Each structure stands twice: as structure tokens, then as C-alpha cells.
């Protein structure tokens, strides 16, 4: 399976039915599972046998779909969560707790920024936010003795900066910590972060992976490349006995390729219960089967719209990494040679009022708190997804009052451009 191309993995990986079994991933819509003896169930609680006992922790449908995403990313283990936010939280909280510190890119999605900067700070975890264009010296200066991870996004939402994998991976590994990457916008079709040095990947599967705006969800995938035991003193949660789970030492019992996800499941999913519903996982799998074909049209529409906006005298600036002349074009060609995404960010002349007037005139693009599905939509980040941020935090995230984020769906390219043209007036 590892030798299959991404298109085949989208369709075939994760689930291989046997003789007479359902061709499509079955929906195991059950909270509980029956066993013949208490001893049989006890082995599951001791993590000595594979199986299921309660859907709050694991479910067969979810695991089959997680296996597909894991294969697509080229990882060793994966899990589904109830949302992308839950995935980001679990990925960090699995290794960073009270008194620890994390380095994060300043341009990450506003919801994730608020999760880190407000909620997780209340839990006693400190964060330092650095520019995606920080020099090696500036980046290394952000690390502390208690740093446990580095977090970034392949393509930032909505700033559309492109992450410099090699620079950040080098710094993370020199300081003995893993690099965690949110790969939502690129998807494994356009970028596989493990090939560039990332250690953990997260997704909001609600976006391109689902592709139809039907199911909220998230995913975490472990590359299996980070050696937890080599940095045992930094990660006691993985390298010392977990007294809340029979004294298991995850890194010893499940090895480099399975420890991270097993701990996140047995400990965090057990306690927080942020699991994706089996029904949503079923919808997600249907979306994954066409992801490779959909991404081509999303990217084609995105590039065409970016080119049109760049030529308009009513537009102040355009951000689209695959557009020649974009500040991140060279980086996109390196890490995203087959295309970036269908999301275009631009600043309209006339300030915030002009942005709101433009959006009110659109016919095809709908104003939604969403992005990256089959239908085109748009958003004014400063007054919606990023409205909790201060003016300085907006600047640090690459957001301005006249900035508009447009997500190109799967409609006809010319129709989308005509819609934007008439709205510009």
C-alpha cells in the first residue's frame, strides 16, 4: 500500500473488505460492543488485545477512515476527532502540560491561535508565537528549556503564508521536540509534511477532506519518525508509566510508531470524549474518495481568480501562494508544486466598508463561516473568525480590515470570475 500513488490511496486505502463483506466502509452506529467473558473485555482495557468496548474512545468505522488518512499522509498511526480544533488540542496536549512551553507560527488559524493563546494558557501551558518568515536566529531564540513542540500550518488560514518546513523542522529537532503541522488546506494530495521533516500532522477534515460541508471532524496522524525515548526526560507522559492506565509506558509498549496515538486515545479521548461520530466518519470517507480529483478543480479556480484579482484596479493586493509574484511563490513551488488550495485572500481598495459592500453583491460566493468545500464561499476574517483578536494580533496573523477570504468551489471558472467582477462594480 505504501507504494500506491495518492489517487489510489484516496479510493482504496484503509479498508479492504473480505469475501462477501460490504464494499463500502460500514457504519458501526453503536455505543457499545458485546463480549463473551469479562476476561475478554479486560484484555481490551489493559491494551493487550485489539477491539472495541465503548465508542467514546474508539469505533471501527472511525478507525478504518483514520487508517485511510494515515496511509495518504504516509504515517504509522492515526485517529479521528470531533473537529479540527479537537485535533489541534489533542496533538499539543498529548505532550505539553502545565508548566510546559510550545513554539507556534503566528499566522495559524484564528481559532487555533485563540485555543493556544487563551484557553491553553489557562491550563498552564505557555506559547511563543513567531513569524513564518523568522530568521533561524529569531526562531531558535523562541525555544526554552521546557519547550515541548513546534506548531504550524502548511498553508495558513487565511493569511495564505506557506510554511518553511525545512527551517522549522531543523530548529525543532535540534531542540529535541517534534514538529506538528496542520495540513488542512493543502491536504495530503498537494503536500505530505512527513516528507519534509514534520512529525505529527493534524487536519480539520470538515474542509476539503469532507468536501461537501456535511460533517465536522478532525484527524491526527503520527509519522512514527520522532524518537520519544531518545528525549525521554522531555516527554514523561510517553516514556514513564501512566498510573491512570495500569502503569503502561506507551513508548515501550507501542514503540515509536504507535505510542503517540495510543496515548491520545487511551488517555485524552477517554477523558475528553471528543470523538467523531461514525456517521460523520462515513461521510468523510465518501469525500476522501474524490479528494484527488476535487483538489485539481479547487486549485485551478483559485489560480484563475487570483490572476483576475491581481489585474483589477479595485484590488489593493492579492495573496495566493501559487500566483507568480506572490511572496510565497518560490516556497510554494518547493513544497506545493502540484498546486496549493482553492482559497484566495485579497485586500480591496476602500477599507472595511468596501469589503462589506463587495460581499453583499456576490451571487455565487456565499457569506459563510466555512471554507474549502464544493460550493464557493467568502468571509471577512477581521469581523468573523478573527474578531476576538486585538489589532496587533490581527497584524501578526496577517489580517487587515479590508481583507476578504474567498474559497473557490467546484463551479465553472468563468462563472466565478464573472461573479467577482460584477461585485467589484
Amino acid at each position: 500500500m505504501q507504494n500506491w500513488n495518492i489517487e489510489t490511496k484516496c479510493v482504496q486505502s484503509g479498508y479492504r473488505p473480505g469475501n462477501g463483506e460490504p464494499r463500502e466502509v460500514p457504519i458501526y452506529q453503536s455505543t457499545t460492543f458485546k463480549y463473551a467473558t469479562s476476561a475478554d473485555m479486560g484484555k481490551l482495557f489493559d491494551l493487550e488485545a485489539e477491539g472495541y468496548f465503548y465508542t467514546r474512545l474508539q469505533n471501527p468505522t472511525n478507525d478504518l477512515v483514520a487508517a485511510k488518512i494515515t496511509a495518504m499522509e504516509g504515517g504509522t498511526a492515526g485517529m479521528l476527532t470531533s473537529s479540527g480544533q479537537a485535533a489541534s488540542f489533542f496533538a499539543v496536549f498529548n505532550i505539553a502540560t502545565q508548566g510546559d512551553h510550545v513554539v507556534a507560527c503566528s499566522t495559524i488559524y484564528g481559532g487555533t491561535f485563540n485555543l493556544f493563546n487563551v484557553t491553553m494558557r489557562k491550563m498552564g501551558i505557555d506559547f511563543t508565537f513567531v513569524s513564518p518568515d523568522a530568521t533561524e536566529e529569531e526562531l531558535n531564540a523562541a525555544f526554552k528549556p521546557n519547550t515541548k513542540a513546534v506548531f504550524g500550518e502548511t498553508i495558513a488560514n487565511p493569511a495564505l503564508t506557506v510554511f518553511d518546513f525545512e527551517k522549522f523542522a531543523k530548529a525543532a529537532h535540534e531542540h529535541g521536540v517534534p514538529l506538528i503541522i496542520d495540513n488542512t488546506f493543502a491536504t495530503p494530495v498537494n503536500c505530505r509534511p512527513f516528507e519534509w521533516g514534520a512529525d505529527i500532522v493534524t487536519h480539520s477534515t470538515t474542509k476539503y477532506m469532507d468536501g461537501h460541508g456535511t460533517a465536522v471532524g478532525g484527524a491526527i496522524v503520527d509519522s512514527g519518525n520522532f524518537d520519544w525515548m531518545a528525549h525521554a526526560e522531555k516527554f514523561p507522559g510517553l516514556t514513564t508509566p501512566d498510573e491512570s492506565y495500569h502503569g503502561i509506558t506507551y513508548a515501550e509498549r507501542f514503540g515509536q510508531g504507535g505510542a503517540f496515538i495510543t496515548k491520545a486515545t487511551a488517555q485524552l479521548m477517554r477523558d475528553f470524549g471528543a470523538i467523531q461520530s461514525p456517521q460523520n466518519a462515513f461521510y468523510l470517507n465518501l469525500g476522501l474518495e474524490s479528494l484527488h480529483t476535487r483538489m485539481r478543480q479547487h486549485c485551478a479556480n483559485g489560480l484563475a481568480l487570483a490572476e483576475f484579482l491581481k489585474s483589477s484596479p479595485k484590488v489593493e493586493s492579492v495573496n495566493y501562494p501559487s500566483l507568480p509574484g506572490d511572496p510565497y511563490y518560490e516556497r510554494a513551488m518547493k513544497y506545493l508544486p502540484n498546486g496549493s488550495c482553492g482559497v484566495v485572500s485579497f485586500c480591496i481598495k476602500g477599507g472595511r466598508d468596501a469589503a462589506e459592500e463587495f460581499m453583499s453583491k456576490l451571487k455565487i460566493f456565499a457569506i459563510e463561516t466555512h471554507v474549502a468545500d464544493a460550493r464557493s464561499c467568502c468571509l471577512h476574517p477581521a469581523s468573523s473568525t478573527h474578531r476576538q483578536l486585538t489589532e496587533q494580533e490581527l497584524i501578526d496573523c496577517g489580517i487587515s480590515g479590508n481583507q476578504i477570504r474567498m474559497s473557490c468551489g467546484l463551479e465553472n471558472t468563468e462563472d466565478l470570475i464573472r461573479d467577482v467582477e460584477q461585485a467589484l462594480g
Side-chain angles (χ1 to χ4, degrees), residues 9-21:
K9 288 181 179 180
C10 285
V11 179
Q12 292 279 357
S13 60
Y15 175 57
R16 303 293 290 171
N19 187 43
E21 293 183 343

Side-chain angles (χ1 to χ4, degrees), residues 14-320:
Y15 175 57
R16 303 293 290 171
N19 187 43
E21 293 183 343
R23 187 64 188 89
E24 187 56 84
V25 171
I27 304 173
Y28 289 86
Q29 195 67 46
S30 179
T31 60
T32 52
F33 303 84
K34 178 183 178 294
Y35 287 89
T37 69
S38 294
D40 290 337
M41 182 173 284
K43 292 178 182 178
L44 300 178
F45 277 89
D46 289 342
L47 302 180
E48 293 177 352
E50 294 184 1
Y52 304 90
F53 52 85
Y54 197 50
T55 284
R56 192 185 76 224
L57 281 85
Q58 284 180 287
N59 177 279
T61 304
N62 292 26
D63 282 358
L64 291 170
V65 179
K68 173 175 284 191
I69 296 173
T70 300
M72 291 165 62
E73 286 287 8
T76 57
M79 65 188 296
L80 298 187
T81 62
S82 59
S83 68
Q85 281 288 84
S88 295
F89 172 64
F90 277 18
V92 174
F93 196 62
N94 204 33
I95 51 177
T97 57
Q98 185 177 21
D100 290 336
H101 171 259
V102 174
V103 175
C105 197
S106 62
T107 54
I108 57 175
Y109 166 59
T112 310
F113 185 94
N114 195 70
L115 168 68
F116 292 170
N117 195 44
V118 179
T119 302
M120 293 187 75
R121 282 191 191 278
K122 293 178 181 178
M123 302 171 74
I125 303 173
D126 187 26
F127 288 83
T128 297
F129 296 94
V130 298
S131 166
D133 303 316
T135 64
E136 289 190 15
E137 292 74 17
E138 292 170 335
L139 179 55
N140 282 305
F143 287 83
K144 300 179 180 181
N146 59 337
T147 300
K148 296 300 177 71
V150 176
F151 188 98
E153 288 182 71
T154 302
I155 305 172
N157 173 17
L160 299 181
T161 58
V162 177
F163 194 75
D164 192 340
F165 286 98
E166 291 183 322
K167 178 177 68 178
F168 277 80
K170 179 174 180 288
H173 296 157
E174 285 179 348
H175 289 87
V177 301
L179 174 60
I180 305 173
I181 291 294
D182 182 336
N183 198 33
T184 296
F185 268 16
T187 81
V189 170
N190 285 340
C191 183
R192 284 173 291 282
F194 296 154
E195 297 175 3
W196 297 103
D199 300 290
I200 308 291
V201 159
T202 68
H203 286 277
S204 170
T205 63
T206 317
K207 310 304 191 297
Y208 287 124
M209 283 187 163
D210 170 76
H212 304 94
T214 58
V216 174
I220 309 172
V221 180
D222 182 8
S223 68
N225 293 331
F226 193 82
D227 190 344
W228 305 106
M229 293 304 293
H231 307 282
E233 73 287 350
K234 277 186 173 287
F235 306 103
L238 286 161
T239 61
T240 61
D242 178 5
E243 299 305 328
S244 77
Y245 217 107
H246 315 297
I248 286 174
T249 300
Y250 296 101
E252 290 180 353
R253 174 76 72 86
F254 302 100
Q256 195 167 301
F260 186 89
I261 294 297
T262 303
K263 178 180 180 293
T265 301
Q267 193 181 84
L268 301 186
M269 193 65 82
R270 174 197 66 194
D271 293 344
F272 290 97
I275 196 163
Q276 189 170 147
S277 76
Q279 186 76 46
N280 279 11
F282 176 81
Y283 293 144
L284 168 58
N285 187 61
L286 295 180
L288 292 172
E289 290 176 350
S290 63
L291 180 63
H292 55 294
T293 59
R294 289 186 288 107
M295 287 306 294
R296 284 196 290 268
Q297 182 66 14
H298 284 301
C299 291
N301 281 344
L303 180 57
L305 179 60
E307 290 171 341
F308 169 77
L309 289 168
K310 187 176 182 180
S311 68
S312 173
K314 298 185 178 182
V315 172
E316 188 176 282
S317 62
V318 180
N319 294 325
Y320 187 70

Side-chain angles (χ1 to χ4, degrees), residues 326-360:
D326 185 271
Y328 295 95
Y329 178 75
E330 294 301 324
R331 199 177 291 174
M333 292 301 99
K334 177 180 180 179
Y335 297 122
L336 303 155
N338 297 321
S340 51
C341 63
V343 181
V344 181
S345 177
F346 75 99
C347 294
I348 191 170
K349 292 181 179 178
R352 185 183 290 246
D353 291 342
E356 293 177 354
E357 181 181 0
F358 164 80
M359 293 173 66
S360 70

